[in-house]
Amino acid sequence: MIEALQGHVTLTHLGVIRVEGEDAATFLQGQLTNDVQLLPAGQARLAGFLSAKGRMQASFIVVKRSASEFWLVTSRDLLAPTLKRLSMFVLRAKAKLSDAGDAIRLVGLAGAIAERCAPDAAPWQTSAEGEASVVRLYPADGQARALWAAPAAAALPAAIADSPVLAPAAWLLGEVRSAVPTITTPVVDAFVPQMVNFESIGGVSFKKGCYPGQEVVARSQFRGTLKRRLYLVQSAAGDLQPGQEVYAAADAEQPVGTVVQAAPRAQGGSDALVSMQMAAAAQELRAGSAAGPALQVQPLPYALLEDI
């Protein structure tokens, strides 16, 4: 459980890739794990960008601003390489990709202000507030969260500006507690989407057309080959980091999982999202080595999707 999240914070750890042009939707439809062609203008979805082997290269909150303009909200540390890789596939499509990190402002909203600006409780539902798109996110410990995204020149609404200013660390802990992971550099190419629960949090469409890695994703879902899932864990001691290996205390040789995302707790220790073998979830878990800090598995805040 985290302390009550109330207020707003500028999200400097995230950036935006802007995709524009008459073929923008068609282009993204062939690259991402979710359906953007059927996404109504003004709405948002979670999506992944995969390698041909089905491994996640980046994760996005995809905001469809219009039929010909999309904002891909992603980890800032991955923005440049992801933009470069996506641009390789544009070819003759009438789509222009650009780094819009300085042109678009991202603000996280939590608590009462998130409820006010994004009253629809369903994650990824989006409302318009002037020039801004306000995307409802998954809650953290039952506390509402939302993403406010607008051109940098747009004024922050008075209701948001007058709300308390959140510490960035509090927001990052809320991200972890929501159990919706953001892919960052240390874990690029480490997971198929189901290993981080993407199909259970609205990040994968199994009805859309082809995209890189689709066969691997479908095989993992329908042939029962998936052996790893995302878990929320807590450590009373130790500073957990993305990419750090997780071990079962009884086996010092082979790691059973990998930290995907982590954030420190104000009272000490860390919370983290760990992709690990399902068979290991009930074992005594340690971070870094079989003798490292102990990890306690916490309940996920959402149900896993078992059947399609």
Side-chain angles (χ1 to χ4, degrees):
M1 180 69 70
I2 59 176
E3 296 180 6
L5 284 174
Q6 294 288 339
H8 73 281
V9 58
T10 298
L11 303 178
T12 57
H13 66 296
L14 301 177
V16 179
I17 296 173
R18 179 188 275 133
V19 185
E20 303 170 279
E22 61 182 271
D23 293 339
T26 304
F27 168 70
L28 290 174
Q29 185 76 354
Q31 298 300 322
L32 306 184
T33 59
N34 219 334
D35 197 317
V36 298
Q37 285 189 318
L38 294 181
L39 182 63
Q43 291 297 301
R45 288 291 184 272
L46 184 67
F49 175 47
L50 313 183
S51 70
K53 294 182 179 180
R55 299 282 168 154
M56 295 190 71
Q57 308 296 295
S59 58
F60 302 126
I61 297 173
V62 181
V63 182
K64 189 172 185 177
R65 295 281 291 183
S66 70
S68 59
E69 182 179 3
F70 294 79
W71 293 354
L72 310 183
V73 181
T74 191
S75 178
R76 186 173 287 272
D77 72 324
L78 280 180
L79 195 153
T82 303
L83 174 59
K84 181 178 180 180
R85 183 171 175 81
L86 269 173
S87 298
M88 292 170 56
F89 299 104
V90 172
L91 301 177
R92 297 180 181 178
K94 296 179 180 178
K96 177 184 177 183
L97 281 66
S98 61
D99 179 347
D102 294 331
I104 296 170
R105 185 178 183 184
L106 303 175
V107 177
L109 310 179
I113 191 62
E115 293 278 10
R116 175 173 176 176
C117 295
D120 192 322
W124 315 124
Q125 289 300 304
T126 305
S127 55
E129 185 168 309
E131 296 181 81
S133 296
V134 188
V135 183
R136 190 65 179 256
L137 305 176
Y138 270 76
D141 290 322
Q143 299 170 50
R145 297 165 62 251
L147 172 69
W148 185 92
L156 197 65
I160 296 177
D162 292 342
S163 69
V165 178
L166 279 172
W171 178 267
L172 293 175
L173 181 60
E175 281 191 351
V176 170
R177 297 290 299 175
S178 76
V180 177
T182 299
I183 299 299
T184 58
T185 298
V187 293
V188 166
D189 211 37
F191 315 111
V192 299
Q194 292 98 323
M195 290 181 184
V196 290
N197 298 353
F198 249 51
E199 89 299 341
S200 293
I201 50 178
V204 179
S205 170
F206 293 97
K207 298 180 180 179
K208 60 162 286 186
C210 295
Y211 57 88
Q214 181 192 29
E215 290 185 3
V216 176
V217 174
R219 187 163 57 248
S220 297
Q221 190 69 34
F222 299 115
R223 293 188 181 179
T225 59
L226 185 67
K227 296 183 177 2
R228 291 176 179 253
R229 280 291 195 181
L230 189 76
Y231 294 85
L232 176 62
V233 305
Q234 189 172 106
S235 172
D239 182 18
L240 305 179
Q241 297 293 330
Q244 188 175 21
E245 292 181 330
V246 171
Y247 289 78
D251 185 358
E253 300 299 323
Q254 294 293 330
V256 297
T258 304
V259 175
V260 181
Q261 190 171 347
R265 298 172 63 85
Q267 62 270 46
S270 301
D271 281 1
L273 299 174
V274 173
S275 178
M276 67 179 171
Q277 297 170 12
M278 291 180 277
Q283 300 181 39
E284 182 181 347
L285 300 170
R286 302 280 180 165
S289 72
L295 303 176
Q296 289 78 41
V297 175
Q298 307 289 305
L300 282 172
Y302 49 76
L304 293 176
L305 183 65
E306 299 295 341
D307 299 307
I308 301 300

